[in-house]
Amino acid sequence: MTAELVRGQNHVLPQTRLEIRVSAGRPIVAGATLSDEQGKVRGADWVAHPASPGVPGLEVSKQAAADHRLAVDLGALPPGAERVNILLALPVTDGSQVADGGGGPVRFGALAAPFVAVTGLDGSEIASYTITDLDAESAVVALELYRRQGAWKVRAVGQGYAGGLAAMLTDQGLPDGPALAAEILDAVASGVARSVAAPPQRTAEGDRVRQAAPPAQETHGTAAASSANSPHPATASAPDGHVAQAQAPSPVQTGPAAAGPATGPAPTGDGGVPHQPAPTPSSAARTPVRSDEQGGRPDGHTQPTQDRVDQPEPQTATTATPASTGGPVDYTHPARRTAAPPAPAPAPQSAQPGAPARPVAGDATGWSMEERLYNQVWGMFEDLARTAAAYRSAVDFAESRMEQELDQVLTDPRSRISGQGDAAREAARAKQAKLVEQAREVLDRDVAQLSAEADVVEPALPPSFAAWDNPVWHAYRVPMEAPMALRLGDLHLPECADLRIPMLIRLPLERGLWIDSGRTSSSATASLADSEETRGLAMDTAVAHAARLLAVYPPGDFAVHVIDPAGSAAGSLAPLRDSGVLADPPAAGAAGVSEVLARLTRRVDLVQMAVRARATDSLPPDVDTAEQLLIVNDFPHGFDDRAVTQLRYLADEGPAVGVHLMMVADREDAAEYGPILDPLWRSLLRLTPVPDDHLADPWVGHAWTYEPSLTPPGSEVLSDVLARVADARRAWGR
């Protein structure tokens, strides 16, 4: 799977024999340098350039070109070489840029953003990086391949030099950098006639005009010649290879594909370069990345191992195809249903020149407004994760660079006590502070835009996505169909604590929930002197989640059962009990626990057998086919070995047939069972009743602070919503 890097981000390289592909809008020079562990190039023989295209482990192009392929063999590098820097530069002759054989601006800011990709020898793409925000630079360090703890990684650098190749090579430790730069540019200038121009610009797929096939009497050779001379050859050929008759094909309307979040987990650490600001996040320009990895804690890890936030499955819109207009070939897909295309996404509002477009709620892709908002929220989550990763990598890079410079000062005995050493130390610290300040400016800019987008998106969310203080609940009506996702709380990072991203989880629930009533690392929890207060907050959180599930499902399509062996949660359960939305009164005592577990276990068994036999119509009339939620309070009190086994069975097998588990428990209280319950805890998504940084995103592994979604103090919104749910259930006889 390809990793799309941002400036400062790194990615592990799975192999040592690689190919670097460079694509630009006009001919540029591509080269590479080798450096030691301190980042210094030992000599000109460690530089691969058009005048000397081959060095051990590297081979580059001999001329300027719009597209380059550089060969890298990390296992064949000379001794002492720990880093490989991929360099890009504009060819300059007599003060003019050599591009397409003519002059032009000598800066990358006037060209399209260069694209660099690291691929395997089979062409499979490993990582890619688009170098944006270049301006006056005429040379840039695109990528850095480096060895860290015996493994090779690639880092997106994007460090530009307005002084060109001479400044770049000098910065890498070559004292004769200007002379070598002149040699490289002279070699490029002598081969201007051999410069490879950029390929013809491709037309966007959506704007490409489908042309009819050539007439029947046209020979194959003539058709081939006309296609070869056309910059965009397009012939309507049948799938079997026969040429269709010349006619206008029927138009095909294609629905937008849903933009899910990038879900491949990206490595963290190792630093980054903040010399150029990262691109501003935009919900309209997010690039979806598909991954098969599921969220959740890895098996075998115990607390305080972080949970991963459940990542959504990308929502693919159904393609609508009009009926075929006739002809020898019918291109209508038999499995596609005919449906009206979705309404177009809202267009961004106009903004002042040079300012980012004003955010619009629902401008992500999707078939419905609910799907668009869902994808937009997850896009905001991904944008914040990546911009924070770039900031942290940049800060790490600035710290490591300052440490290296200070080490160099301290290694010279003459500079330890002299004024020269003090000046060098101050210069290193000033440089580090400047780099951190630049990275912070980029982070603040991105966070400001995401905050503006959050201010627009939050009021537009439907009840299933909205917080309890959202005005949408005051106009609540019981829905007639289930939503696609549910809000469980908010997530934020320490760098921008004021920006909250809704935590959405897909429905129906694929994992049970565990509301941790024990003490966590959170300072808010540590301030609670009374453990009973923590348990009460945990049960309040469980009731709020259960009430939201009841509110977003159609009447009778969701049922809630409660096990409260000692009756300690009577106060928290009052809204559910008083409104009459519970399927049965809370079960108390060992007998009540056994009865509820036996009934739900029987339901799971019967539904599983009916599904396997494809005989769901033959279920007994006493089996409730609605989604079931079991809230278990104060586990393991009141549970014997048989009840524990049944509980584990419901956690493992229940979600597939509509039986879901919500545990309100302290793991330490269940320590007497030993490791037998470890699979149970790992199968549940752990949530906390107070803010706690135990969740990790699937991209860069940030520790996100989770805050539960609770009703505001003194608000009656929960009771009002549950009363309407109860009225709707009675009206439908459920």
Side-chain angles (χ1 to χ4, degrees):
M1 181 182 61
T2 304
E4 297 184 1
L5 304 180
V6 297
R7 181 174 283 107
Q9 192 177 3
N10 59 74
H11 187 73
V12 177
L13 295 175
Q15 56 201 63
T16 58
R17 300 186 64 187
L18 307 165
E19 187 175 70
I20 310 296
R21 299 186 179 183
V22 180
S23 178
R26 303 174 71 174
I28 62 174
V29 180
T33 61
L34 302 177
S35 57
D36 55 21
E37 190 174 358
Q38 286 72 37
K40 298 299 182 181
V41 181
R42 295 183 178 178
D45 57 340
W46 273 25
V47 182
H49 53 84
S52 178
V55 300
L58 292 176
E59 185 175 349
V60 303
S61 304
K62 298 181 179 180
Q63 59 199 37
D67 294 290
H68 291 270
R69 292 193 177 187
L70 287 64
V72 179
D73 186 355
L74 299 175
L77 299 180
E82 298 289 331
R83 303 183 184 182
V84 179
N85 292 308
I86 306 302
L87 317 178
L88 306 180
L90 298 177
V92 178
T93 301
D94 299 331
S96 309
Q97 177 191 358
V98 179
D100 298 339
V106 288
R107 62 188 185 93
F108 273 106
L111 307 179
F115 174 81
V116 187
V118 181
T119 69
L121 297 183
D122 58 352
S124 59
E125 193 168 297
I126 300 172
S128 63
Y129 173 42
T130 302
I131 311 174
T132 57
D133 296 328
L134 296 177
D135 188 11
E137 298 85 351
S138 59
V140 61
V141 178
L143 298 176
E144 180 187 39
L145 312 181
Y146 64 100
R147 195 200 311 264
R148 178 64 55 87
Q149 296 179 352
W152 283 94
K153 296 184 178 181
V154 56
R155 177 188 290 127
V157 180
Q159 179 180 357
Y161 294 83
L165 269 175
M168 176 192 294
L169 296 175
T170 302
D171 186 59
Q172 294 191 11
L174 281 173
D176 55 346
L180 181 58
E183 178 184 352
I184 295 173
L185 295 178
D186 290 343
V188 173
S190 63
V192 169
R194 296 183 286 111
S195 295
V196 182
Q201 183 177 4
R202 294 183 177 180
T203 305
E205 184 67 26
D207 300 333
R208 193 172 295 175
V209 179
R210 301 179 184 272
Q211 301 179 4
Q217 66 270 18
E218 185 177 25
T219 64
H220 177 74
T222 305
S226 62
S227 299
N229 295 329
S230 174
H232 309 297
T235 57
S237 299
D240 57 0
H242 294 86
V243 179
Q245 295 181 0
Q247 61 179 4
S250 60
V252 177
Q253 298 177 350
T254 305
T263 56
T268 57
D270 299 346
V273 180
H275 297 284
Q276 297 293 337
T280 304
S282 174
S283 61
R286 298 186 179 103
T287 303
V289 181
R290 180 69 181 271
S291 172
D292 294 330
E293 177 182 343
Q294 295 296 327
R297 284 177 301 168
D299 290 344
H301 289 196
T302 58
Q303 294 300 325
T305 302
Q306 293 175 339
D307 285 312
R308 288 190 186 274
V309 179
D310 283 352
Q311 54 198 8
E313 288 293 333
Q315 298 300 300
T316 304
T318 305
T319 304
T321 306
S324 176
T325 56
V329 179
D330 185 2
Y331 293 99
T332 304
H333 195 288
R336 291 176 179 168
R337 63 179 178 87
T338 302
Q349 301 179 12
S350 59
Q352 297 295 330
R358 298 178 182 177
V360 177
D363 65 346
T365 56
W367 192 260
S368 63
M369 179 56 70
E370 181 186 32
E371 185 179 343
R372 290 171 182 167
L373 290 170
Y374 174 80
N375 291 329
Q376 187 173 12
V377 167
W378 273 94
M380 295 164 58
F381 181 42
E382 179 184 358
D383 285 344
L384 183 56
R386 296 194 184 281
T387 192
Y391 169 74
R392 294 179 182 181
S393 296
V395 172
D396 291 342
F397 172 80
E399 293 287 346
S400 62
R401 182 170 180 175
M402 181 184 67
E403 292 176 359
Q404 291 178 3
E405 294 178 352
L406 292 177
D407 290 343
Q408 292 176 359
V409 173
L410 295 176
T411 54
D412 188 356
R414 295 171 298 178
S415 62
R416 293 178 182 176
I417 57 177
S418 64
Q420 181 182 1
D422 295 337
R425 295 186 189 94
E426 292 298 326
R429 295 188 180 96
K431 187 181 298 183
Q432 181 265 347
K434 183 178 180 180
L435 292 177
V436 173
E437 181 182 0
Q438 291 176 352
R440 186 70 204 190
E441 290 177 357
V442 174
L443 176 66
D444 292 342
R445 182 198 64 191
D446 294 347
V447 169
Q449 183 169 349
L450 285 172
S451 299
E453 186 174 3
D455 293 340
V456 173
V457 170
E458 186 68 36
L461 296 177
S464 58
F465 298 176
W468 284 110
D469 58 355
N470 193 309
V472 71
W473 287 107
H474 297 291
Y476 167 76
R477 292 184 179 181
V478 179
M480 290 296 104
E481 60 181 19
M484 64 181 298
L486 186 80
R487 183 173 186 161
L488 292 180
D490 296 330
L491 299 169
H492 65 87
L493 292 172
E495 288 85 358
C496 44
D498 294 335
L499 177 57
R500 261 65 172 176
I501 305 296
M503 178 181 172
L504 304 180
I505 186 171
R506 286 296 307 273
L507 292 179
L509 297 173
E510 296 181 356
R511 302 174 62 191
L513 303 178
W514 167 28
I515 314 299
D516 192 352
S517 60
R519 294 188 177 274
T520 67
S521 59
S522 170
S523 58
T525 307
S527 65
L528 298 175
D530 189 0
S531 61
E532 292 300 324
E533 185 177 356
T534 308
R535 296 178 186 273
L537 289 174
M539 197 62 198
D540 291 342
T541 303
V543 170
H545 292 333
R548 183 185 291 268
L549 284 166
L550 286 166
V552 301
Y553 271 89
D557 283 7
F558 200 87
V560 176
H561 309 266
V562 177
I563 292 180
D564 187 19
S568 60
S572 299
L573 292 172
L576 298 178
R577 185 186 61 251
D578 297 344
S579 61
V581 296
L582 288 178
D584 302 291
V593 171
S594 300
E595 192 275 331
V596 173
L597 292 178
R599 178 157 31 97
L600 292 178
T601 301
R602 173 177 175 268
R603 182 198 179 279
V604 172
D605 291 337
L606 291 176
V607 175
Q608 280 185 340
M609 289 187 292
V611 171
R612 291 167 184 167
R614 298 183 181 180
T616 54
D617 295 338
S618 62
L619 285 170
D622 62 331
V623 175
D624 187 2
T625 57
E627 298 282 322
Q628 310 287 314
L629 175 67
L630 174 61
I631 302 178
V632 179
N633 185 39
D634 279 348
F635 178 80
H637 303 295
F639 283 76
D640 55 17
D641 292 343
R642 176 180 174 82
V644 170
T645 302
Q646 290 175 323
L647 195 65
R648 287 186 54 187
Y649 177 74
L650 292 179
D652 295 337
E653 304 294 336
V657 291
V659 177
H660 312 287
L661 185 63
M662 184 184 295
M663 300 279 292
V664 182
D666 182 358
R667 187 172 184 178
E668 294 183 0
D669 292 343
E672 61 187 58
Y673 287 99
I676 189 175
L677 289 181
D678 287 347
L680 173 64
W681 304 119
R682 288 196 297 267
S683 66
L684 303 176
L685 174 61
R686 176 176 174 262
L687 303 176
T688 54
V690 293
D692 188 62
D693 54 352
H694 69 285
L695 293 175
D697 62 77
W699 301 292
V700 290
H702 287 321
W704 291 79
T705 299
Y706 164 80
E707 293 185 13
S709 180
L710 301 175
T711 56
S715 175
E716 298 294 333
V717 63
L718 189 64
S719 300
D720 294 342
V721 168
L722 289 177
R724 298 182 188 183
V725 171
D727 293 341
R729 291 164 67 94
R730 285 191 293 267
W732 285 78
R734 301 179 182 178

